[in-house]
Amino acid sequence: MSIWVVLLSVLAFAIPVTVVFVAGMTVSEPLWRGSPLLAPLFATVSVAVVSWLAFIAFWLNSWIGFGFATLVLAASIVVAAHGGLWRRWRDALPVASLVVGAIVFYLGFTYLWGPGNGVYDLIQSRFFNFVMPVDNTIPSLFAQKIAAGEPTHLMLGDWNGGDRPPLQSGFELLFRPLSGLAQVLTGHPFTAAPPTAVTFALDLLAQLIWIPVGYALLRQLSFRRWVAIGGVAFALFVPSIMVNTVFTWPKVMSAALVLCALAFLLAAKRSPNRFGLLFASAIIAAVFAVLAHGAAAFAIPALVVVGVYALWRRPLRATVKAVAIGVGIGLVAYVPWIIYQRFIDPPGDRLLKWHLAGVTAIDPRPFVQTFLDQYSALSGTQFIANRLENLSTVFGSDQFERLSDARFDLVTFLRVEDYTSTMVATSLIGLVLLVIMVLSLTGRLRSLPAAELQRLLLVAGMMLSVAIWAFVLFTPFSAIVPHGSHAWLLIFTTVPFAWMLERTPRLGVALLAAQALSLVIVYFRNINHDARFSTSGFLVMAAGLVFLVVVPLISAAWLDRRAARSATISAAMPATRITTPAGRTSV
């Protein structure tokens, strides 16, 4: 499939996705008015809600689903047009340029060695010396089965539809009327399966929703606009984040909702008047993160750490009320998926048995029995050895034996480490900055201002999540990047880099360029099979690279200067007293 077909499909569907996102901002405006940094967070939750409802509607009946999706899209156009938020497009320019730059650069880089048989197949074989699994096709396959009213049992090999959460499938289904219209215009039935380029476009856009959420989280951590943009830009050049964005399983979409929950918790800490609303919203966002991908559950320790911080010294009554509302709404949202797993496509516990009990084959036993049986057969020595081997995977030392191989290839080695080791996957620059930031902040823990304490708390919470994740996984050497939440990768890369960029801007810009260069050098070559170099892919990649490095930072710095100039002018102007007809005086 041509790069131009895929690129145009992604950019074309970015328009209705943006409309729905802006409509979500507009509808939720009463909830964030006065705190515009909360707008992307509420918009993200709004998109998750309508995507989930679209899945449920299509599950009930395909025509009910088409009707619901059409209604949402039509209403979004009206709301976005009349809400007026689009007039503030300049404020969104840095984030929007990050999204566009990521799309262009990622697709150009993916297509450097030709189109392959299809975009999903191309990505499976593009980056490593092995072919990645077919998991990136599952959301679109699940969506098509649901839209066609077909059973999802044994949907892909011996895997059922009920084995993996469906929020990304719901996101695809939300835009099914538009893909159906495209089918009619090309002479196909309205309900026919959308072209691969369309499903991939929607899948990719679902992952890229982390960009506005990550930006909003960094702003909640008191980073300036251009610094927050720089932090997100750095993460976009981290190889593991790039690969797991274009390899469109719902990991990054799920991580975006985890980040959304964390940002809500931080906002709740500093907004006593809206504490209940924001804390409940955090719980709801976390539930939707699990509905996107179950790996989000591994980030719960970080959510608990930040949640306790947000609740600290809060009145007990307000705390109980906020938790009760969030849990109640979250349970209502999750119950349909429980029903689907238990009654429509059971048993729905295969991934639990795989990761927490080490049973990968279909097993008729209940999860609890499987869990107990597996651990009762495990000796204490083996239990400890398995955990230590998982920790060695986290830090990448399990791959060191490759260094003595006569056929050792540095590029292949680095890519395998990116795929397996969480610490290596943060990139060498990212890992060094992470260590420096943690050591610097912990060294002056008692005197840290609130913003610095929150940054350290967030990173420490994610470190705790990684440690518990490596501990609970049953099988040795199974704590590889694909088996965990990608939320900690996003935190470990964005926060330390933004922290450093804030202190030494020139060094930060140089490191951003170095990170982009290292990504291109290590992942430029196709090591999995022979392929012909694509000039068009290279040109698209180069354009996206320059755009991604230059435009977001420049536009963010321009907006910061513009805001500073306005603040200076406002401060210099004398207050003007105005007497209204009613006799009131205002300033």
Side-chain angles (χ1 to χ4, degrees):
M1 182 176 294
S2 166
I3 183 176
W4 304 112
V5 172
V6 176
L7 180 58
L8 290 175
S9 297
V10 176
L11 295 177
F13 273 88
I15 297 172
V17 170
T18 302
V19 169
V20 173
F21 194 82
V22 172
M25 280 189 185
T26 305
V27 170
S28 62
E29 187 174 4
L31 305 179
W32 56 262
R33 186 177 292 123
S35 300
L37 293 177
L38 296 174
L41 307 179
F42 281 111
T44 299
V45 173
S46 299
V47 171
V49 169
V50 293
S51 297
W52 184 227
L53 292 177
F55 175 83
I56 295 173
F58 273 95
W59 166 25
L60 295 175
N61 180 273
S62 61
W63 289 111
I64 293 176
F66 274 110
F68 173 79
T70 301
L71 180 63
V72 169
L73 294 175
S76 296
I77 294 172
V78 174
V79 170
H82 290 275
L85 287 180
W86 58 269
R87 296 187 180 90
R88 300 176 61 179
W89 62 270
R90 291 182 182 83
D91 293 334
L93 185 60
V95 175
S97 61
L98 281 175
V99 174
V100 173
I103 290 170
V104 176
F105 173 68
Y106 282 2
L107 289 181
F109 200 64
T110 299
Y111 273 83
L112 268 178
W113 299 96
N117 296 324
V119 62
Y120 289 114
D121 296 334
L122 171 66
I123 291 166
Q124 290 167 13
S125 60
R126 165 67 178 89
F127 299 107
F128 302 105
N129 62 331
F130 53 86
V131 178
M132 297 176 74
V134 296
D135 294 44
N136 59 337
T137 66
I138 291 176
S140 60
L141 179 60
F142 197 5
Q144 178 54 28
K145 291 283 187 181
I146 292 294
E150 299 174 357
T152 59
H153 194 69
L154 301 180
M155 182 181 72
L156 187 64
D158 59 359
W159 287 90
N160 300 333
D163 288 329
R164 287 176 169 86
L167 187 63
Q168 186 168 309
S169 300
F171 183 82
E172 279 192 27
L173 292 169
L174 180 63
F175 297 93
R176 185 55 65 94
L178 296 179
S179 60
L181 179 61
Q183 292 287 64
V184 171
L185 294 176
T186 55
H188 296 88
F190 181 75
T191 56
T196 302
V198 170
T199 60
F200 173 78
L202 291 169
D203 290 340
L204 179 62
L205 292 166
Q207 311 316 308
L208 292 174
I209 204 169
W210 87 264
I211 293 176
V213 173
Y215 168 79
L217 174 60
L218 291 176
R219 297 285 279 148
Q220 288 296 330
L221 291 169
S222 300
F223 290 112
R224 286 176 290 169
R225 187 196 322 252
W226 78 272
V227 174
I229 289 295
V232 174
F234 178 82
L236 288 171
F237 288 121
V238 171
S240 186
I241 292 173
M242 177 197 70
V243 171
N244 288 285
T245 298
V246 297
F247 185 79
T248 52
W249 50 6
K251 293 270 189 173
V252 181
M253 181 188 191
S254 172
L257 287 159
V258 172
L259 266 58
C260 191
L262 291 168
F264 275 131
L265 291 173
L266 294 173
K269 179 67 175 180
R270 65 177 62 179
S271 305
N273 294 336
R274 286 187 284 192
F275 173 83
L277 166 68
L278 296 174
F279 198 91
S281 298
I283 297 176
I284 295 166
V287 170
F288 279 112
V290 177
L291 282 171
H293 198 286
F298 292 126
I300 287 177
L303 291 167
V304 171
V305 168
V306 181
V308 170
Y309 169 76
L311 290 170
W312 194 254
R313 296 181 179 176
R314 294 292 307 170
L316 180 62
R317 184 174 180 179
T319 298
V320 172
K321 181 179 179 181
V323 172
I325 293 174
V327 171
I329 297 175
L331 284 175
V332 170
Y334 202 83
V335 162
W337 182 234
I338 295 176
I339 294 173
Y340 192 93
Q341 287 186 303
R342 296 295 181 270
F343 301 105
I344 305 301
D345 199 0
D349 59 1
R350 189 170 176 184
L351 286 175
L352 287 174
K353 293 175 180 176
W354 179 3
H355 293 301
L356 303 185
V359 176
T360 57
I362 296 176
D363 191 309
R365 293 174 295 173
F367 166 70
V368 174
Q369 181 185 344
T370 305
F371 182 85
L372 294 176
D373 289 348
Q374 288 292 99
Y375 271 95
S376 63
L378 195 67
S379 67
T381 303
Q382 189 60 51
F383 175 85
I384 295 173
N386 288 356
R387 271 67 205 158
L388 293 176
E389 287 164 348
N390 274 338
L391 282 177
S392 74
T393 303
V394 169
F395 289 98
S397 60
D398 63 322
Q399 299 295 328
F400 286 176
E401 61 184 24
R402 292 174 178 266
L403 297 174
S404 59
D405 191 330
R407 297 169 298 175
F408 174 77
D409 177 74
L410 180 60
V411 167
T412 301
F413 174 77
L414 292 174
R415 295 192 196 185
V416 171
E417 285 278 32
D418 276 339
Y419 187 81
T420 57
S421 168
T422 296
M423 292 296 103
V424 176
T426 62
S427 78
L428 176 60
I429 295 174
L431 181 59
V432 170
L433 293 177
L434 174 64
V435 173
I436 292 174
M437 175 188 146
V438 170
L439 291 177
S440 174
L441 296 185
T442 52
R444 47 192 178 90
L445 187 60
R446 294 186 178 181
S447 60
L448 286 179
E452 295 275 55
L453 178 62
Q454 290 171 1
R455 296 166 188 176
L456 179 62
L457 196 67
L458 202 56
V459 169
M462 282 301 174
M463 288 181 171
L464 177 63
S465 293
V466 171
I468 293 175
W469 165 65
F471 181 83
V472 301
L473 291 178
F474 184 87
T475 308
F477 303 113
S478 63
I480 61 175
V481 172
H483 291 170
S485 171
H486 287 47
W488 47 65
L489 286 179
L490 295 176
I491 294 298
F492 290 161
T493 51
T494 57
V495 176
F497 182 81
W499 177 83
M500 183 278 307
L501 183 63
E502 185 177 56
R503 283 156 177 75
T504 54
R506 291 184 179 179
L507 176 61
V509 172
L511 289 178
L512 176 63
Q515 181 60 40
L517 183 61
S518 69
L519 166 63
V520 173
I521 291 174
V522 175
Y523 280 80
F524 189 91
R525 180 161 56 96
N526 190 327
I527 60 177
N528 194 43
H529 62 272
D530 294 331
R532 181 177 296 179
F533 180 74
S534 170
T535 303
S536 58
F538 177 80
L539 292 175
V540 172
M541 180 209 74
L545 178 62
V546 173
F547 187 93
L548 193 51
V549 170
V550 175
V551 176
L553 281 174
I554 289 179
S555 59
W558 171 69
L559 286 171
D560 279 341
R561 287 195 300 270
R562 189 166 174 259
R565 192 181 306 115
S566 298
T568 302
I569 293 173
S570 299
M573 290 178 62
T576 303
R577 304 183 68 85
I578 302 174
T579 303
T580 65
R584 297 190 183 95
T585 300
S586 60
V587 178

